[in-house]
């Protein structure tokens, strides 16, 4: 009697599991593809396109279920691609080149910023920097070990200056040395911190200028969309769909006609920033991402990538050439 | 004691690195995610001397910070040992301040003191001080009834004698706590350097992190481990000698 009961329980349990699998499996197979997309930094205006890709349904319409994850100082999209925590990510050019130097299988799908947002802010009442030589004798802030140090070293070399010709100070997370005029030229992300400082100082009646290395011919590439070479080979359709949706979202986000909707979505994610600042940040981001109306967002500037690699080689950031141009896939949007 | 500390650290470090290598080769990760032995050795050869001096720089701040913490903890601990309102207030305050993550307090410290030596020293002392204070308070507030009763009954008890009795009876605990607080002071200094200093091993780790240089970070960890093991070993040896000296009667030997 007891063994009959046990047999019944087993049969019922097995039947229940089969029914459950039947109900769940087709949904999993036919449903949207689940993907993880790791950003380089926190949610703010500089990732407007990434936010809109989800919030305005661009990914969903492409049959993709994408979880956009915030980045941060300790987050590294390329490492997450390799560890399988992310399918796509945003990484700076120096990260990509360093990763290639150490044997990582990473490819670049799109270049988000056509102009590097890493620039230097200085007060307009100080001697204007019109050529790299004008940096002589100035007190400059740099993040030692960071991108900005590499870019500044390149600028100094262009001006035939050495570190002895300027005074360099290590920057930290607060701007007080710049605000107190202890450091003259301070590194900022033009479209985020740059806007905040510019607005803050304008309220005090001070005008600022920005030192954009690209104006002196230093095109050091910034954030780009990356994935692994393995993903490109094994899921080319998925990569194309992702990129198409993402670039469409960025075009939408950078279109001034959509500004109110875009700002409203950013405000939901970035609650600590004033409305006015967010608006200015969006304007600044637009100039960096789509500097001319004809230029398609995501266009890869191969020459700038080559220059970035050359700079890193000269600065001994990498040991050997990595031929980064061979890793620039840049899938066509159509 | 000293050599035991060092080889124990080497065992832990080797186990950690072996674990990483197991993951690296097991999963097939590139040197970018986990560097291979060749890259680690090459990086170590390049940066070991620099990191050694960075560690010495950090250690100098650590020692000073720890000395300040010990002095402060004993002063406050002795003052607050009585079960009075002041004693309980100090305890509650210490618990509360300990609960604040230093990364939240650090910006205020750096804005006020800049990113130089003083900020590092203050953060090292803060991280080291509160656990030390709680231990000292706990020890100083616990009467040694068997001994203290005699002095109280004969009317010869003074606060200095009370402190001496309690310190003597808890000498092992105190030396262990002081030796243990060295790691806290070192961690505090490294955190301060990592956040916003321009010197020390924490600063070098920050640069290595910016450059995704895990081999550099592993080298820095090795150097920190060795230096702190030596320092702790020396503290423990000194503690043993103090115990022996205190325990032995004058002119006699310890039984």
């Amino acid at each position: 009697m007891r063994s009959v009961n046990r047999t019944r329980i087993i049969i019922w349990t097995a039947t229940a599991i089969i029914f459950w699998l039947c109900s769940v499996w087709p949904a999993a197979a036919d449903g949207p593809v689940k993907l993880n997309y790791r950003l380089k930094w926190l949610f703010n205006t500089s990732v407007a396109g990434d936010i809109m890709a989800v919030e305005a349904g661009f990914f969903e319409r492409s049959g993709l279920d994408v979880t956009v994850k915030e980045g941060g100082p300790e987050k590294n999209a390329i490492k997450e691609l390799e560890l399988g925590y992310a399918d796509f990510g945003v990484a700076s050019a120096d990260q990509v080149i360093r990763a290639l130097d150490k044997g990582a299988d990473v490819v670049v799908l799109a270049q988000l910023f056509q102009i590097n947002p890493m620039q230097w802010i200085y007060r307009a009442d100080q001697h204007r920097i019109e050529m790299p030589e004008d940096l002589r004798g100035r007190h400059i802030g740099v993040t030692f070990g960071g991108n900005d140090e590499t870019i500044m070293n390149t600028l100094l070399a262009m001006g035939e200056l050495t570190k002895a010709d300027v005074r360099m100070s290590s920057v930290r997370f607060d701007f007080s040395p710049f605000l107190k005029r202890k450091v003259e030229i301070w590194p900022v992300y033009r479209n985020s911190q740059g806007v905040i400082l510019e607005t803050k100082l304008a309220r005090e009646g001070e005008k600022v200028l920005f030192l954009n290395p690209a104006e002196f011919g230093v095109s050091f590439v910034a954030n780009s969309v990356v994935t692994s070479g393995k993903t490109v080979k094994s899921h080319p359709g998925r990569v194309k769909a992702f990129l198409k949706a993402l670039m469409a979202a960025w075009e939408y986000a950078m279109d001034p006609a959509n500004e109110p909707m875009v700002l409203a979505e950013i405000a939901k994610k970035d609650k600590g920033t004033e409305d006015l600042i967010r608006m200015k940040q969006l304007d600044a981001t637009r100039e960096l991402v789509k500097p001319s109306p004809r230029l398609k967002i995501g266009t890869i500037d191969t020459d700038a990538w080559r220059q970035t690699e050359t700079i890193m080689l000269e600065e001994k950031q990498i040991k050997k050439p990595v031929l980064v141009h061979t890793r620039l896939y840049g899938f066509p949007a159509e | 004691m000293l050599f035991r500390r060092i080889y124990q650290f080497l065992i832990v470090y080797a186990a950690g690195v072996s674990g990483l290598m197991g993951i690296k080769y097991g999963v097939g990760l590139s040197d970018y995610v986990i560097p291979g032995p060749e890259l680690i050795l090459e990086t170590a050869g390049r940066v070991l001397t620099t990191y050694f001096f960075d560690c010495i720089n950090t250690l100098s701040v650590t020692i000073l910070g720890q000395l300040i913490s010990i002095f402060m903890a004993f002063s406050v601990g002795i003052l607050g040992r009585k079960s009075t309102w002041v004693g309980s207030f100090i305890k509650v305050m210490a618990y509360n301040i300990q609960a604040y993550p230093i990364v939240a307090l650090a910006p205020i410290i750096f804005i006020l003191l800049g990113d130089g030596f003083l900020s590092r020293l203050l953060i090292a002392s803060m991280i080291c001080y509160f656990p030390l204070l709680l231990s000292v308070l706990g020890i100083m507030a616990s009467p040694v009834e068997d001994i203290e009763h005699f002095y109280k009954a004969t009317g010869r008890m003074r606060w200095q004698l009370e402190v001496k009795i309690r310190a003597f009876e808890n000498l092992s605990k105190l030396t262990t706590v002081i030796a243990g607080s060295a790691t806290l002071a070192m961690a505090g200094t490294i955190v301060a350097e990592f956040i916003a200093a321009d010197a020390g091993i924490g600063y070098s780790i920050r640069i290595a992190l910016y450059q995704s240089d895990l081999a550099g970070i592993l080298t820095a960890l090795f150097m920190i481990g060795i230096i702190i093991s030596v320092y702790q070993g020396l503290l423990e040896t000194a503690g043993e000698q103090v115990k022996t000296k205190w325990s032995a009667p004058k002119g006699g030997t310890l039984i």
Side-chain angles (χ1 to χ4, degrees):
Chain A
M1 191 68 179
R2 193 183 278 176
S3 83
V4 172
N5 278 344
R6 192 180 293 165
T7 313
R8 274 185 189 165
I9 288 167
I10 291 168
I11 290 169
W12 276 111
T13 310
T15 313
I17 289 170
I18 289 163
F19 266 103
W20 178 76
L21 280 174
C22 288
S23 62
V24 169
W25 189 254
D30 298 337
V33 181
K34 286 187 184 292
L35 298 169
N36 287 315
Y37 176 40
R38 170 67 76 186
L39 301 181
K40 189 162 187 291
W41 198 243
L42 307 172
F43 285 131
N44 61 24
T45 316
S46 67
V47 296
D50 303 314
I51 293 173
M52 294 314 290
V54 175
E55 303 305 331
F58 284 90
F59 284 140
E60 199 182 348
R61 285 195 290 279
S62 299
L64 304 170
D65 178 5
V66 181
T67 306
V68 180
K69 296 177 175 177
E70 277 187 303
E74 315 304 330
K75 302 277 172 17
N76 183 315
I78 299 174
K79 288 185 180 175
E80 293 200 9
L81 291 176
E82 202 166 323
L83 291 164
Y85 301 144
D87 303 283
F88 297 92
V90 176
S92 55
D94 67 306
Q95 283 181 322
V96 171
I97 292 168
R98 273 197 189 97
L100 291 172
D101 187 43
K102 289 180 179 168
D105 176 26
V106 60
V107 296
V108 178
L109 300 174
Q111 182 180 324
L112 290 176
F113 287 97
Q114 298 305 317
I115 301 168
N116 195 330
M118 169 53 67
Q119 299 179 10
W120 277 262
I121 190 170
Y122 62 102
R123 286 179 173 82
D125 61 10
Q126 290 173 331
H127 181 59
R128 200 183 172 107
I129 300 162
E130 286 170 339
M131 54 182 108
E133 291 86 335
D134 293 335
L135 290 167
R136 185 187 297 276
R138 310 291 284 266
H139 192 174
I140 306 163
V142 287
T143 316
F144 289 119
N147 263 345
D148 51 325
E149 188 192 9
T150 311
I151 297 171
M152 183 48 72
N153 286 345
T154 309
L155 274 175
L156 293 177
M158 286 179 87
E160 294 182 351
L161 301 172
T162 64
K163 285 181 185 174
D165 295 317
V166 294
R167 191 173 156 205
M168 281 195 184
S169 285
S170 174
V171 303
R172 52 175 197 261
F173 44 82
D174 83 288
F175 305 116
S176 50
F178 176 72
L179 295 173
K180 290 178 189 168
R181 289 182 180 257
K182 282 183 181 168
V183 176
E184 291 171 72
I185 305 168
W186 191 264
V188 286
Y189 282 99
R190 175 67 186 87
N191 57 334
S192 52
Q193 300 154 318
V195 171
I196 295 169
L197 275 177
E198 188 178 26
T199 311
K200 205 172 181 175
L201 288 170
R203 283 173 188 157
E204 303 294 322
E206 292 191 89
K207 283 186 181 171
V208 295
L209 294 169
F210 289 92
L211 161 62
N212 177 7
E215 287 172 6
F216 304 118
V218 180
S219 299
F220 197 93
V221 181
N223 293 1
S224 297
V225 181
V226 295
T227 190
S228 66
K230 194 176 145 195
T231 303
V232 168
K233 276 180 201 150
S234 54
H235 302 290
R238 188 181 295 173
V239 172
K240 196 170 176 178
F242 175 86
L243 197 61
K244 189 177 173 185
L246 185 65
M247 291 305 112
W250 268 100
E251 292 285 356
Y252 176 89
M254 293 297 108
D255 186 346
N258 301 322
E259 191 170 297
M261 285 84 83
V262 174
L263 285 172
E265 289 303 333
I266 295 168
K268 288 180 195 166
K269 305 255 179 199
D270 178 17
K271 290 177 182 147
T273 308
E274 287 174 42
D275 291 345
L276 176 70
I277 300 272
R278 270 197 299 266
M279 206 166 77
K280 287 181 178 179
Q281 286 178 330
L282 190 60
D283 283 342
T285 303
R286 198 176 288 127
E287 284 169 24
L288 302 169
V289 172
K290 200 173 169 71
S292 79
R294 284 185 190 172
L295 193 74
K296 253 186 179 177
I297 292 178
T299 302
I300 293 178
D301 182 349
T302 309
D303 289 340
W305 277 90
R306 283 183 204 263
Q307 192 190 14
T308 306
E309 184 181 341
T310 307
I311 291 170
M312 290 182 73
L313 259 174
E314 283 168 1
E315 286 289 313
K316 296 187 172 61
Q317 301 275 323
I318 50 172
K319 287 180 225 155
K320 55 185 187 306
V322 296
L323 308 177
V324 70
H325 57 276
T326 62
R327 310 296 292 181
L328 308 176
Y329 277 54
F331 270 65
E334 294 302 324
Chain B
M1 193 77 81
L2 181 62
F3 292 109
R4 196 174 64 194
R5 274 274 174 199
I6 294 171
Y7 79 67
Q8 280 173 344
F9 161 71
L10 290 175
I11 291 169
V12 172
Y13 186 83
V17 173
S18 305
L20 280 177
M21 292 307 121
I23 296 169
K24 177 184 168 63
Y25 294 110
V27 184
L29 299 172
S30 72
D31 279 355
Y32 186 63
V33 180
I34 298 176
E38 201 181 322
L39 183 59
I40 294 174
L41 289 173
E42 188 253 300
T43 306
R46 188 164 38 84
V47 298
L48 205 65
T49 316
T50 315
Y51 282 6
F52 172 75
F53 287 108
D54 286 341
C55 274
I56 295 296
N57 185 319
T58 302
L59 185 68
S60 61
V61 180
T62 299
I63 294 172
L64 199 55
Q66 199 190 3
L67 285 175
I68 293 170
S69 303
I70 292 169
F71 175 75
M72 293 270 295
F74 273 85
S75 308
V76 178
I78 290 167
L79 285 174
R81 73 190 187 283
K82 298 284 185 193
S83 308
T84 57
W85 185 86
V86 177
S88 69
F89 176 75
I90 290 169
K91 269 186 205 170
V92 171
M93 193 181 67
Y95 276 121
N96 282 339
I97 296 178
Q98 223 187 171
Y100 284 114
I102 201 70
V103 284
L105 296 174
I108 302 168
I109 294 168
F110 286 116
I111 288 167
L112 294 176
L113 299 176
D115 57 2
F117 169 76
L118 275 180
S119 299
R120 289 159 74 199
L121 185 65
L122 182 64
I123 292 176
S125 306
M126 278 178 71
I127 288 192
C128 178
Y129 170 65
F130 291 107
L132 205 56
L133 173 65
L134 291 171
S135 302
V136 173
L137 265 175
I139 289 167
M140 289 299 163
S142 311
V144 187
E145 291 293 355
D146 295 350
I147 303 170
E148 288 180 22
H149 174 73
F150 168 75
Y151 292 102
K152 278 177 189 161
T154 54
R156 288 160 62 195
M157 179 60 100
R158 288 174 302 125
W159 73 267
Q160 293 96 327
L161 185 61
E162 188 181 88
V163 169
K164 272 185 190 170
I165 292 168
R166 291 177 189 181
F168 179 79
E169 286 301 310
N170 293 286
L171 209 52
S172 289
K173 272 189 207 168
L174 281 174
T175 50
T176 307
V177 165
I178 288 170
S181 71
T183 51
L184 293 174
M186 188 84 165
T189 315
I190 292 171
V191 166
E193 290 165 352
F194 184 86
I195 297 172
D198 50 10
I201 193 69
Y203 175 66
S204 296
I205 290 177
R206 190 177 67 163
I207 290 177
L209 194 70
Y210 274 140
Q211 299 175 345
S212 298
D213 183 5
L214 187 59
I217 294 170
L218 287 172
T219 310
L221 291 179
F222 177 79
M223 204 36 94
I224 292 168
I226 287 286
I227 298 280
I228 197 70
S229 299
V230 171
Y231 180 48
Q232 273 198 311
L234 290 174
L235 280 178
E236 282 168 354
T237 309
E240 285 299 316
Q241 284 182 351
V242 169
K243 268 191 277 183
T244 312
K245 213 171 183 179
W246 273 39
S247 306
K250 276 181 186 166
T253 50
L254 187 67
I255 298 166

